Amino acid sequence: MVKLIQSIIQEKREKNVMSTVNEDVVDVLINNTSEELTDELISDNMIDLMIPGEDSVPVLITLAIKYLSDSPVALQQLTEENLTLKRLKEKQRETLVWSDYLSLPFTQNVISETLRLGNIIIGVMRKAVKDVEIKGYLIPKGWCTFAYFRSVHLDDNLYDFPYQFNPWRWQEELEIQHVEMSILLGENRRLIEDRIALQRELADAKEELHRMNLTMGDVQADHEIRSRDLIERALKLEGDL
């Protein structure tokens, strides 16, 4: 697999075409100008992207089925939420689209709780590209660190009964996020309104400038006509004399 990916990377390198339109993830990584993003690192990233589709996602789905089987109330609420959306779409004669997940808050809670309790990916390795200080601890450049997800997801200081499947625990978090999002949307709305007002003022200024240019053009044209008439009259008087 590694050799196959490296051959694809080499083939793209040999074409030596820096396109602004990336056809795949490899193109995105190749077109990155970072000197630290070597072909070997690109190959490792591609393999890392393949793992979820082959391993973690199927296991996570299996765990979700298991957790829901042990929690009939959660299964019923999840089923009702999705059937409600299905009936609405049928009534409106529409097909499901990606944005429909926004109308499935409890489904998202189930996904979040399955990810927390399942811990399919127990952690990630990261290499410090420069000296980093975190909470008083120095991580020197070149050192590798391991972020252990389970130590957070199963911490009883952060979650009540952390080993219990409870998708409703995320509702409070979602309400807080909703308030924060409403504040951000309000601020963004004011920024957008101010920008629209400025754009309108700019358009009005451009229109006024255009009218002034037309007026100046008319004045200049009239001035040229009068000057030409005066010159012709002067020449005629000179001829008569």
Side-chain angles (χ1 to χ4, degrees):
M1 180 62 70
V2 174
K3 291 181 179 179
L4 175 61
I5 295 175
Q6 290 178 345
S7 65
I8 294 174
I9 295 173
Q10 185 61 32
E11 181 181 351
K12 288 178 175 290
R13 290 283 192 194
E14 291 174 353
K15 290 181 179 180
N16 195 24
V17 178
M18 296 293 290
S19 174
T20 56
V21 179
N22 299 310
E23 296 181 354
D24 51 37
V25 179
V26 177
D27 287 341
V28 174
L29 297 177
I30 288 178
N31 290 333
N32 189 294
T33 57
S34 174
E35 296 179 356
E36 298 175 352
L37 196 58
T38 62
D39 288 355
E40 182 180 359
L41 187 55
I42 292 176
S43 177
D44 291 342
N45 276 278
M46 294 307 302
I47 293 175
D48 289 342
L49 289 174
M50 294 179 185
I51 294 175
E54 177 66 24
D55 184 20
S56 57
V57 172
V59 173
L60 193 66
I61 293 175
T62 302
L63 285 176
I65 295 174
K66 193 269 180 189
Y67 294 150
L68 289 169
S69 298
D70 294 339
S71 179
V73 177
L75 177 59
Q76 180 180 359
Q77 185 170 343
L78 177 74
T79 302
E80 290 177 352
E81 183 178 68
N82 283 266
L83 288 178
T84 299
L85 175 62
K86 180 177 181 294
R87 287 190 290 267
L88 178 62
K89 286 292 184 175
E90 290 176 348
K91 182 178 180 180
Q92 297 175 346
R93 296 183 179 180
E94 296 177 353
T95 58
L96 292 173
V97 295
W98 172 248
S99 58
D100 286 333
Y101 82 93
L102 294 171
S103 60
L104 301 171
F106 187 74
T107 301
Q108 183 59 57
N109 293 348
V110 171
I111 295 173
S112 298
E113 183 68 353
T114 303
L115 288 169
R116 183 197 67 82
L117 187 58
N119 286 292
I120 302 304
I121 307 298
I122 63 173
V124 292
M125 294 287 296
R126 290 293 183 265
K127 182 178 180 180
V129 297
K130 62 180 181 180
D131 292 345
V132 180
E133 184 176 346
I134 300 177
K135 294 185 177 181
Y137 294 94
L138 176 64
I139 302 177
K141 177 181 178 180
W143 281 36
C144 290
T145 62
F146 183 74
Y148 190 53
F149 295 158
R150 285 183 178 175
S151 64
V152 177
H153 294 164
L154 301 178
D155 189 347
D156 55 9
N157 292 319
L158 301 175
Y159 301 99
D160 294 332
F161 306 101
Y163 291 93
Q164 177 181 342
F165 179 74
N166 178 16
W168 294 276
R169 73 169 78 243
W170 297 93
Q171 288 182 347
E172 182 180 354
E173 179 70 19
L174 289 175
E175 290 174 359
I176 295 175
Q177 291 179 0
H178 177 72
V179 173
E180 293 176 347
M181 184 61 69
S182 298
I183 296 174
L184 290 174
L185 289 175
E187 294 176 352
N188 289 337
R189 187 177 296 109
R190 286 192 295 272
L191 290 174
I192 293 173
E193 290 174 351
D194 292 342
R195 183 175 180 179
I196 292 175
L198 289 174
Q199 289 176 341
R200 288 176 177 172
E201 292 180 5
L202 179 60
D204 293 340
K206 288 182 177 180
E207 185 178 353
E208 181 64 24
L209 180 61
H210 179 67
R211 286 198 297 265
M212 291 176 63
N213 289 334
L214 291 178
T215 303
M216 291 295 294
D218 294 339
V219 171
Q220 184 176 1
D222 184 64
H223 178 71
E224 290 177 355
I225 292 174
R226 291 186 178 184
S227 297
R228 189 163 49 249
D229 289 342
L230 289 173
I231 293 172
E232 291 177 354
R233 290 174 60 186
L235 291 174
K236 183 178 180 181
L237 290 172
E238 184 179 359
D240 293 341
L241 293 174

